[in-house]
Amino acid sequence: MSKTTATTENGARIADFRVLVVPGLDGSGPDHWQSRWQRLYPSFERVEQDRWDVADLPVWSARLQEVLAQRPQPTVIVAHSFGCLTTVHRAGIDAAHVVGALLVAPADPEKFKVTDVVQVRLPFPSVVIGSTDDPWMSAERAEHWAGVWGSEFVNAGAVGHINTASGLGDWVAGQDVLAELVKWVGSRNSVASA
């Protein structure tokens, strides 16, 4: 995130929140924007899975819960692909401590046969970012799921699965969306610094 987006107009700062990075399958390698954001902001924490190659929603969701329980403080989740489904599933069971979520290029629940368990209206502000040429979920389907989840929808254009292959580098446009989400969360919660 650029220093200009680190503080929002209402005084909410990204530093006012615990930020959890929730990758998808294969765990977001070193050139993935999630990993790059973690290098830019070392306070961002990653939810690690034992098996990045096995998309097991109950197992991944339980791990997310374990990490959330380690530090009970207002948390913003930054999820990608299957990590988005993990976040939604966890929120449907227990959304404690989560105050916002950025859900980037969600994997299609139908492809993973988890549609029934992710039909959840999220109880916190959230944004879904989709792509017009994402092989894992079309922009139309991503917008549909954004509606189901009660999320704002942002169409990022033709940027594939919004991953390393997309060549986004530090993905400044995504950082700007995160800053807007933090502003939205800050206006709903009294966690922003004075």
Side-chain angles (χ1 to χ4, degrees):
M1 241 155 290
S2 67
K3 297 297 180 188
T4 58
T5 61
T7 303
T8 62
E9 292 172 13
N10 65 4
R13 297 174 306 135
I14 291 167
D16 293 328
F17 302 94
R18 181 184 191 200
V19 177
L20 287 184
V21 172
V22 182
L25 283 168
D26 300 323
S28 297
D31 293 326
H32 193 284
W33 59 267
Q34 284 183 313
S35 300
R36 294 173 72 106
W37 286 12
Q38 282 189 270
R39 287 192 297 276
L40 288 171
Y41 286 84
S43 65
F44 286 18
E45 302 170 53
R46 180 177 295 243
V47 177
E48 295 286 351
Q49 299 294 339
D50 291 333
R51 294 285 310 271
W52 285 115
D53 60 331
V54 178
D56 187 327
L57 191 57
V59 170
W60 285 36
S61 178
R63 175 59 55 85
L64 175 55
Q65 177 58 30
E66 289 171 12
V67 174
L68 283 166
Q70 290 169 359
R71 289 181 39 213
Q73 68 186 90
T75 301
V76 173
I77 293 179
V78 176
H80 181 255
S81 193
F82 196 77
C84 298
L85 303 184
T86 301
T87 300
V88 171
H89 182 261
R90 175 46 41 200
I93 298 169
D94 178 8
H97 313 306
V98 180
V99 295
L102 179 61
L103 306 170
V104 179
D108 195 324
E110 288 183 10
K111 290 184 179 181
F112 290 96
K113 300 181 178 16
V114 296
T115 302
D116 292 346
V117 296
V118 295
Q119 301 249 7
V120 174
R121 187 156 188 92
L122 297 174
F124 44 74
S126 57
V127 178
V128 170
I129 300 180
S131 166
T132 58
D133 60 350
D134 186 341
W136 286 95
M137 185 188 293
S138 69
E140 295 78 19
R141 292 284 298 152
E143 188 169 10
H144 162 78
W145 280 102
V148 170
W149 298 331
S151 305
E152 294 291 323
F153 178 72
V154 173
N155 187 328
V159 289
H161 192 46
I162 314 179
N163 58 6
T164 303
S166 301
L168 299 170
D170 290 339
W171 193 34
V172 175
Q175 294 176 40
D176 291 342
V177 175
L178 179 59
E180 286 300 311
L181 175 62
V182 168
K183 177 180 174 182
W184 182 12
V185 169
S187 70
R188 292 174 44 111
N189 296 276
S190 58
V191 297
S193 297

